[in-house]
């Protein structure tokens, strides 16, 4: 496939000698308008790549914080079609920042896979992470995505052994997402030494960037992960920042966008501190 925004962004960061900061936010949380404001604020706050969660009623890999964010979004009327509209709204002012949609296959299947991929490409989506589609189902969505120039990004986990890893990597593009813990999102802190070792093992099998997520919540954790990986993903901490900014009725306040962008700025500083800048 042709070079994507994701490829270009990681190449640029590599030349700068630093890891990528990847932010995860839930589409439509806490409401469509505020969600778009949050998205637009992320690049200036320090996000290099943006993952947007596609709300789903049965998110088996998500911890309590991300589940709650999805439920808030669904309650506010978020749909997959509205998520693509959110991407279009972001793209109207930003044609450079890579956008990755992350979620589950059921909403895409209901939408119609081929139609979804065509609409996603038109909206400006660069990549997909679909956590419940294994490599054995690549014909279902992965290969059609690649045909349309959309990166299909796979998850590798602490239980992905040497025999399984080649299957995970076979049709992966953009980057590899390493899940730093076993279990659901945002519930435990990663073991930095184990993560660094796992990233090194994966990189012996692929030239793709390896980014690390699940459990990273603080600038210090982000810095430690960034020292040994090509990127750091933070999600649960950001959706918790949304939740903590809402009023008693669960509605956005004047401080909601700043609660997220301020935390992103702090975390971005951590990521940038984690790897020294390349020599001039």
């Amino acid at each position: 496939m042709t070079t994507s925004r994701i490829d270009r962004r990681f190449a640029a960061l590599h030349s700068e000698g630093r890891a990528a900061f990847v932010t995860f936010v839930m589409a439509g949380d806490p409401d469509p308008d505020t969600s778009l404001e949050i998205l637009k604020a992320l690049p200036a706050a320090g996000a290099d790549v943006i993952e947007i969660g596609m709300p789903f009623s049965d998110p088996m890999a998500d911890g309590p914080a991300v589940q709650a964010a999805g439920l808030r979004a669904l309650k506010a009327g978020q749909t997959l079609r509205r998520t693509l509209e959110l991407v279009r709204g972001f793209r109207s002012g930003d044609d450079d920042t890579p956008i990755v949609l992350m979620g589950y296959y059921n909403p895409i299947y209901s939408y119609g896979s081929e139609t979804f991929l065509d609409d996603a490409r038109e909206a400006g989506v660069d990549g997909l992470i679909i956590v419940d589609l294994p490599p054995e189902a690549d014909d279902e969505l992965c290969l059609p995505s690649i045909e349309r120039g959309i990166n299909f990004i796979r998850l590798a986990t602490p239980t992905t052994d040497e025999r399984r890893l080649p299957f995970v990597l076979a049709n992966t593009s953009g980057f590899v997402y390493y899940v730093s813990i076993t279990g659901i999102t945002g519930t435990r802190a990663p073991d930095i030494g184990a993560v660094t070792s796992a990233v090194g093992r994966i990189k012996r099998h692929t030239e793709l960037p390896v980014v690390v997520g699940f459990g990273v919540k603080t600038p210090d954790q982000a810095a430690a992960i960034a020292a040994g990986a090509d990127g750091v993903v933070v999600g649960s901490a950001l959706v918790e920042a949304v939740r903590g900014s809402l009023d008693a009725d669960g509605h956005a306040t004047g401080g909601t966008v700043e609660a997220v962008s301020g935390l992103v700025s702090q975390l971005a500083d951590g990521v940038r501190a984690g790897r020294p800048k390349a020599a001039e």
Side-chain angles (χ1 to χ4, degrees):
M1 54 186 292
T2 59
T3 302
S4 68
R5 286 188 186 91
I6 295 173
D7 298 327
R8 293 192 293 272
R9 180 54 54 94
F10 274 98
L13 295 175
H14 179 74
S15 70
E16 295 175 19
R18 70 174 181 86
F21 180 34
V22 183
T23 56
F24 172 93
V25 292
M26 183 64 68
D29 178 33
D31 61 73
D33 290 341
T34 306
S35 181
L36 180 57
E37 289 182 42
I38 290 171
L39 276 184
K40 289 181 175 180
L42 293 177
D48 297 304
V49 179
I50 299 173
E51 289 179 10
I52 301 176
M54 298 178 285
F56 180 47
S57 58
D58 189 21
M60 62 184 179
D62 295 333
V66 177
Q67 285 191 31
L71 291 175
R72 287 193 298 268
L74 291 171
K75 184 178 179 181
Q78 192 70 13
T79 63
L80 188 51
R81 194 170 299 279
R82 287 187 173 184
T83 297
L84 295 180
E85 291 173 1
L86 186 68
V87 176
R88 289 188 190 93
F90 176 84
R91 280 281 172 249
S92 67
D94 187 320
D95 195 44
D96 295 321
T97 305
I99 293 289
V100 177
L101 297 185
M102 184 173 187
Y104 301 85
Y105 186 46
N106 184 282
I108 295 172
Y109 180 82
S110 299
Y111 191 106
S113 298
E114 298 287 330
T115 303
F116 166 77
L117 291 174
D118 289 338
D119 290 350
R121 180 178 61 179
E122 182 274 330
V125 172
D126 302 294
L128 296 174
I129 302 174
I130 309 301
V131 301
D132 55 350
L133 274 183
E136 287 77 10
D138 274 358
D139 289 345
E140 192 77 22
L141 195 69
C142 173
L143 296 181
S145 297
I146 294 170
E147 290 172 0
R148 290 165 171 81
I150 297 174
N151 290 128
F152 202 86
I153 298 153
R154 289 274 186 221
L155 302 176
T157 74
T159 60
T160 305
D161 60 21
E162 294 294 308
R163 185 170 56 180
R164 181 63 174 170
L165 188 57
F167 293 95
V168 171
L169 297 175
N171 291 313
T172 298
S173 61
F175 59 87
V176 180
Y177 189 132
Y178 180 67
V179 176
S180 64
I181 60 172
T182 54
I184 55 178
T185 61
T187 53
R188 292 187 289 115
D191 179 323
I192 303 301
V195 168
T196 301
S197 175
V199 169
R201 179 173 66 87
I202 294 169
K203 290 181 76 65
R204 289 194 292 272
H205 292 267
T206 180
E207 295 182 358
L208 290 171
V210 180
V211 307
V212 177
F214 281 50
V216 182
K217 296 182 178 181
T218 69
D220 286 346
Q221 288 175 333
I225 294 290
D230 299 302
V232 181
V233 185
V234 177
S236 294
L238 301 184
V239 299
E240 275 292 273
V242 173
R243 183 194 62 80
S245 74
L246 305 179
D247 66 19
D249 296 319
H251 298 144
T253 66
T256 296
V257 175
E258 174 57 33
V260 179
S261 63
L263 180 55
V264 167
S265 181
Q266 295 173 32
L267 290 161
D269 287 343
V271 172
R272 285 156 176 74
R275 186 182 297 182
K277 186 177 180 181
E280 298 294 339

